[in-house]
Structure formats: C-alpha cells, structure tokens
Amino acid sequence: MSHPLAHRLAELAPQWQQHLRDFLSQYGKTPIAQIRVEQVVGGMRGVPALLCETSLVIPEEGLRIRGFPIAELADRTPEEIFWLLCTGELPTDEQTSSLRQLLAERAQVPDYVWNTLRTLPPDSHPMALLSLGLLAMERESAFRAAFERGVPRAELWQFLLEDCLTLLGRITTLAAGIYRLRFAQAAPIAPNPELDWASNFAAMLGIPDPTGQFRDLLRLYLVLHSDHEGGNVSALTGYTVASALSDPFYAISAGLNGLAGPLHGLANQECLRFLLQLSDALGPHPSDDALEQYLWNWLTSGHVIPGYGHAVLRVTDPRFLLFREFAQRYGLQHELIALVEQLYRIAPEVLKRHGKAKNPYPNVDAISGSLLYIYGLREFEFYTVMFGVSRALGICAQIIVHRILGTPIMRPKSLTLHELEELARAALTTAS
Ligand code: CMX
C-alpha cells in the first residue's frame, strides 16, 4: 500500500479529520437552512444536506473541481483529475506518473468476469454489463477483507483506496471489452501497460484513430464527466451504499445503476437518438422555422428535449461549451455538429416559451454523443458506459474522502404524507 497517493492522503487525513472535528464542535448545532414542503416531496431539490469535498456546481457558473473551474482543467489527464479530486491538490509530474503506473498495473480483468458477462443474453444493456462486471469483482475486495479481519474503522480508508484503484484500473478494460463483445463481436483487446488511462481506453475500444483525435476526445470526455458534486443520482447512490461500509465494488456498481436512467446518464444516448430522429424527420439541414415547430410539437406532446435543462445549473453547461470548443479546434464539419449548433440557438427560446424547464440551456449531453458518433463510436447504447467510466473517478474520490473523514451511515428522516401535513400546518400556525 506504499504509493504516493496513499502517502499523500495519509498526510492529509489527520488535518482533514481535525478540521471537521473543530468545525463540528463549534458549529455542529447551527441551523443553516429551512426546508420547504415542496422540497421534501420534490427529490430534496436544493436542500443543502450533503457534504461533498470533491466538487461544487454553481448554478450560474457550472462545475468546479476542488475550487478549479472545469474550463481550467480541460487540458488535464484523468489521472491528474483523480489525484485532484482525492487530495484537493494538483499533482506533480512524478505523482501523476506514479498514479498512471498504478492504474496500468491493475488493468487486467480476470477471466471469471468475462465468463460471467458472456452468460448474459446479447440484448442486455451495456450498462447492465458494466455494473455486473464490477459487482462480480466484489469477491476481491480488500476493504471487505479488512473489515472482516477487524481492522480499526479509522484505517479502513486505506483499503477503500486500494479497492478504488483496482476498480479504476480495471474499469476501462472492462468497458472497452464490453464494447468489443457486445458490438464488435470480437474478443477484448488486452491493456497496454505503457499507455495512460485514456489512451489505453481508446486503444482497447479498437476504433480506428489515425489522427489521435478520438483519443484526445476520450481524454476530454473522461475529464469532463468525472464529477458533478454529491447530490446527483449516481454520486448520491454510491455515497449512500458506501456509507453502510459496503465496499466500492458494491457502491460504484450501484451508482452506475442510477447513472443508467434516462433523466441522468442515459440522456446522452437519448440526445443522439433525438438528433438522428430529428434529422430523419426534417432532413439534415432543417430551416429554423421547421426546427422550432418540431421542438414545440415535441414538447407539447409531453416529451423532454434531451440534453437540455438541469436540476442545479441555470446557465449553459461549461462542459457543453468545452466540447463545442473541441469541435471548433479540430474544424469538425459534420451535419450533426451543425444540428447541435442550430438547436443551441433555437431550443432555449422554445423551452422558455413552453415555460416549464427552470433551465432552458444545454447540458453536457447535448453534444457529447454527437462527437463520439462522428469519430466512429456509433453504438449509442454504449455512451452511458463511457460516462460511467469517467464518473467512477468522482464517486471513488467522494467515498474515499468520506471514509477518511469518518462520516456516518446515511439516514435521513422520512415522513408519511400525513405527518408532513401535520408539520406544515403546525409551522404555519407558529408563524402566524
Ligand atoms: N425538456 C422538456 N421539459 C423539461 C426539460 C427539457 N429538457 N427540462 C425540464 N423540463 C420540465 C420537467 O420535466 C418538469 O416538468 P414537470 O413539472 O411536468 O415534471 C419541469 O420542466 C421542471 O423541471 P426542472 O425543475 O427544470 O428540472 P428537474 O430538476 O426536475 O430535472 C432534468 C432536471 C435534467 C432531469 C430535466 O431538465 C430533464 O429531464 N432534461 C432532459 C434530460 C437530460 O438532459 N438529462 C441530463 C442531465 C445531466 C445529467 O444528470 O447527466
């Protein structure tokens, strides 16, 4: 367990723990917010009730990872981002290469995992395969073994870190292998220990990449999707499961099951499907009027526009803008990109006129799938798997930090509608 990331976290752990103890002893009983009835019923929207150190989503700005606006991190590698997420510090070159090596050393997926996946019917969703593949590896958990040996609670984070590194080392191989088995009817490509995490993933997918642009896109993709604070379905689920001291194989697998939902990670798949449908219906170069009418009919027949809106953001997602810059930098002249641009001009106005969505602007999913499609990754059922590989970085970092801080098992209080009504009436009476 002697590697630079474990060492650095061991140095930081006592400082973080002391900070939290001091803070709790001074402010532990201080109320910071009131909760409205509609928030209790409405998925706890906006309730500041979770601790997440790795990142923050500012409604008027977008994602910050450990205080850095995401645009400042767009040229970094996933290894650097993972180090940053875990420690709050940008790594030195040496630290980055140690992490790169560590992940590369752990990139082999055992045969029993492939054998398990091969037993599933061919129409199983790739996200189900990814989640199941991780779950199958649970038997190897160092965290669970340490717990069973009676390792003291305060030391458990070190075993959690090891599991997370194993899981992250393998997840690119697993995901790429799923792509090969499911869509190319071909055997998985073995990981190359010389390559970094993103390049290895690109190589193992086996998609022709003569210019190296697909690899660059993948690196950006893995960075941009890595974390989006703690309250989104996948992160919250992963954190909740890990808070019961379930090991990371359980926690990340569970988080990814949440990511597989169409309102969350599946939206990039749905977004591309929507664009292709739209192009089929109106032709690849529709007039603005035709597009506006199509969107209006779509919305008024009860559908959502995939890739638009967000539970927290209230501006265009900076990750959308960073992908757009990528397309501009490489001069991508594809009709899908033209359609993404045209939607960006027209959809926000239509959503505003429709009057429901609190945020009428695009999120990251409005463009990410189109870029993958253009570079030859055309099986859009696979897109959420890509998202999951990246998001595993953030959820792993979140549960590592939580275990270092020693936060307890999650247990919010739920109420029946009757109790909620009583509470609401009592609150109104007291206020008047
Ligand atoms: N198209 C049409 N209607 C939309 C909409 C959209 N893109 N976004 C929100 N709305 C609607 C909601 O469905 C809701 O309608 P009801 O009152 O009838 O239920 C209303 O506007 C208010 O919703 P909101 O408070 O603005 O948004 P939520 O926090 O409830 O939901 C999200 C957020 C992302 C689920 C929603 O905007 C959506 O469904 N967008 C399309 C799917 C998508 O792009 N998801 C990816 C999000 C990023 C991610 O998590 O990965």
Side-chain angles (χ1 to χ4, degrees):
M1 227 178 284
S2 58
H3 52 78
L5 182 56
H7 280 307
R8 188 61 194 132
L9 284 173
E11 284 166 359
L12 292 167
Q15 299 168 32
W16 293 353
Q17 290 157 352
Q18 189 59 43
H19 182 171
L20 186 61
R21 271 196 298 274
D22 292 347
F23 176 60
L24 281 176
S25 75
Q26 198 174 355
Y27 294 104
K29 305 255 182 287
T30 310
I32 54 159
Q34 284 193 324
I35 300 174
R36 294 188 305 280
V37 166
E38 62 185 7
Q39 293 176 298
V40 175
V41 180
M44 299 196 286
R45 199 70 90 263
V47 178
L50 287 168
L51 181 67
C52 172
E53 286 287 81
T54 56
S55 65
L56 187 70
V57 178
I58 300 171
E60 301 75 28
E61 179 196 307
L63 172 64
R64 285 191 187 190
I65 292 185
R66 292 286 196 168
F68 291 91
I70 186 64
E72 289 179 23
L73 299 170
D75 293 329
R76 299 278 177 173
T77 62
E79 286 90 339
E80 289 175 299
I81 297 298
F82 185 62
W83 186 287
L84 174 65
L85 284 163
C86 288
T87 64
E89 303 166 341
L90 282 168
T92 62
D93 289 348
E94 231 169 78
Q95 288 168 332
T96 305
S97 78
S98 72
L99 184 54
R100 176 174 307 163
Q101 200 185 329
L102 212 56
L103 294 176
E105 279 165 7
R106 297 179 189 210
Q108 288 290 346
V109 169
D111 281 346
Y112 71 84
V113 177
W114 298 127
N115 294 339
T116 305
L117 297 186
R118 283 193 176 100
T119 62
L120 291 187
D123 60 350
S124 307
H125 196 281
M127 277 302 278
L129 300 187
L130 182 68
S131 176
L132 184 64
L134 295 181
L135 208 50
M137 295 177 198
E138 193 281 332
R139 56 185 283 281
E140 298 183 58
S141 169
F143 178 87
R144 178 157 64 83
F147 184 83
E148 285 168 3
R149 282 200 308 279
V151 169
R153 279 273 176 103
E155 291 170 27
L156 280 178
W157 70 262
Q158 300 169 33
F159 299 90
L160 188 94
L161 171 64
E162 291 313 304
D163 276 359
C164 286
L165 291 168
T166 304
L167 187 152
L168 291 173
R170 290 181 184 179
I171 197 169
T172 45
T173 314
L174 177 65
I178 288 169
Y179 178 76
R180 305 270 305 160
L181 293 172
R182 179 75 168 67
F183 300 110
Q185 277 77 44
I189 297 174
N192 176 351
E194 302 304 316
L195 293 181
D196 61 59
W197 204 64
S199 307
N200 220 347
F201 189 27
M204 288 188 290
L205 285 167
I207 289 173
D209 183 25
T211 59
Q213 288 181 19
F214 177 64
R215 179 206 53 212
D216 292 350
L217 173 65
L218 228 62
R219 187 201 50 72
L220 181 64
Y221 191 103
L222 295 172
V223 166
L224 296 188
H225 288 81
S226 59
D227 206 35
H228 219 226
E229 68 175 36
N232 62 76
V233 166
S234 50
L236 179 58
T237 305
Y239 162 47
T240 303
V241 172
S243 81
L245 298 188
S246 300
D247 63 58
F249 296 97
Y250 284 125
I252 306 300
S253 172
L256 295 184
N257 295 343
L259 193 73
L263 296 188
H264 190 15
L266 207 76
N268 53 12
Q269 160 183 334
E270 293 310 306
C271 192
L272 185 61
R273 201 195 301 278
F274 175 73
L275 284 175
L276 294 174
Q277 266 172 17
L278 201 157
S279 174
D280 272 354
L282 302 179
H285 307 291
S287 69
D288 285 1
D289 285 348
L291 181 59
E292 191 176 329
Q293 191 56 48
Y294 184 93
L295 294 177
W296 183 252
N297 293 344
W298 181 258
L299 283 175
T300 49
S301 58
H303 298 99
V304 298
I305 301 181
Y308 280 74
H310 200 273
V312 178
L313 276 173
R314 292 296 174 259
V315 290
T316 296
D317 189 337
R319 299 171 302 168
F320 170 86
L321 295 174
L322 290 163
F323 272 137
R324 196 165 165 251
E325 266 174 49
F326 179 95
Q328 286 162 355
R329 190 176 340 133
Y330 286 114
L332 287 189
Q333 307 281 340
H334 193 280
E335 60 197 33
L336 269 177
I337 294 295
L339 214 45
V340 165
E341 288 290 335
Q342 196 182 4
L343 263 183
Y344 184 34
R345 271 194 291 111
I346 290 174
E349 292 312 314
V350 180
L351 279 164
K352 280 184 207 166
R353 178 151 62 94
H354 187 239
K356 268 188 167 185
K358 295 193 186 66
N359 172 25
Y361 302 109
N363 60 59
V364 67
D365 296 328
I367 186 166
S368 56
S370 300
L371 290 173
L372 295 172
Y373 189 87
I374 291 166
Y375 280 101
L377 211 165
R378 303 219 149 163
E379 298 80 5
F380 40 79
E381 277 199 317
F382 189 71
Y383 294 175
T384 314
V385 172
M386 311 272 303
F387 191 164
V389 169
S390 172
R391 187 50 63 89
L393 293 168
I395 309 178
C396 280
Q398 291 194 18
I399 65 178
I400 290 166
V401 173
H402 271 290
R403 193 56 24 240
I404 290 175
L405 292 175
T407 52
I409 188 168
M410 274 280 277
R411 185 54 172 98
K413 177 79 183 92
S414 62
L415 301 165
T416 63
L417 188 53
H418 175 72
E419 285 169 307
L420 192 57
E421 284 165 346
E422 302 272 290
L423 272 181
R425 281 193 203 103
L428 269 191
T429 314
T430 317
S432 58

